[in-house]
Amino acid sequence: MPARVGLLGGTFDPPHLGHLVVAESARVDLGLDEVRLLVAGDPWMKRTVGAPAHRVAMTRAAVAEDPHLSVDVRETARDGPTYTAQTLADLHADEPGTRWTFLLGADAVAALEQWHRPDDALAAAAFVAVTRPGHELHVAPRFADRVERLEVPRLEISSTDLRARYASGRSTRYLVPEAVDRYVRDHRLYVE
């Protein structure tokens, strides 16, 4: 039986408990064998703050205690902008027979029409939009039958807010895994 692997892409700048809740909920609710946190290299639709090496190290620290979660760094090794369609093509070449499920937030689903080669990406994996209970999911009509919906408990945590908290010295306890908090503080990340 082919492996069923979920991919949760993101900048993970820094990774937080909301990311882990999404990964674990999707793994259990979708019957996935594992979920890989796919650390974005140079995402063409989003700005990153932290260096790729730091974002990879923090993400590895975040999942270190969970045997069902791992980190995929292929996009951080690629030069130039990274595109989901290319990443999925590479994964199919590297691991033929694996059944891929691409997990994305409602905001990313709403922007699918602006993606580079969205039809190729949607053909390469099952796409599952992770939403908050009671919130609408906006999918372009041409993609509507190709994106599943999965409601998960969402924590109101954002990496943008966390960076601001670190910069101003406010508390981040219970918002990020302890290992991530330690890494950020040891490396003095996000301090202006």
Side-chain angles (χ1 to χ4, degrees):
M1 189 157 173
R4 293 176 44 105
V5 179
L7 295 168
L8 176 60
T11 56
F12 303 111
D13 196 14
H16 52 71
L17 295 181
H19 294 127
L20 301 181
V21 167
V22 167
E24 177 63 6
S25 294
R27 184 186 72 79
V28 172
D29 293 349
L30 300 174
L32 302 172
D33 298 311
E34 69 171 298
V35 175
R36 297 180 192 171
L37 279 67
L38 177 66
V39 181
D42 180 13
W44 72 281
M45 292 181 77
K46 190 172 186 179
R47 186 177 78 83
T48 60
V49 174
H54 286 305
R55 294 185 294 109
V56 166
M58 288 186 290
T59 307
R60 285 185 170 142
V63 304
E65 301 293 319
D66 191 326
H68 302 291
L69 302 181
S70 63
V71 178
D72 189 307
V73 300
R74 71 186 60 243
E75 287 192 351
T76 63
R78 197 181 298 150
D79 288 331
T82 52
Y83 303 103
T84 301
Q86 183 60 52
T87 298
L88 288 169
D90 293 347
L91 284 162
H92 277 281
D94 293 347
E95 298 177 51
T98 298
R99 292 176 54 194
W100 300 101
T101 298
F102 196 83
L103 308 165
L104 65 169
D107 56 335
V109 172
L112 266 177
E113 290 201 289
Q114 285 79 49
W115 282 31
H116 177 73
R117 298 175 27 219
D119 290 304
D120 292 344
L122 285 158
F127 269 57
V128 176
V130 178
T131 65
R132 289 183 291 201
H135 283 71
E136 288 293 316
L137 178 64
H138 301 285
V139 183
R142 76 181 192 118
F143 301 128
D145 63 338
R146 297 164 70 186
V147 177
E148 295 176 51
R149 177 188 175 111
L150 176 66
E151 288 189 358
V152 300
R154 290 288 300 258
L155 306 177
E156 294 299 324
I157 303 172
S158 78
S159 294
T160 301
D161 178 61
L162 285 166
R163 290 191 301 270
R165 285 177 170 280
Y166 282 114
S168 64
R170 293 184 326 207
S171 175
T172 55
R173 190 172 186 194
Y174 305 124
L175 299 174
V176 297
E178 286 182 39
V180 171
D181 193 58
R182 219 174 10 261
Y183 186 94
V184 170
R185 293 180 191 289
D186 288 351
H187 290 85
R188 299 188 45 76
L189 301 181
Y190 313 122
V191 177
E192 296 176 358

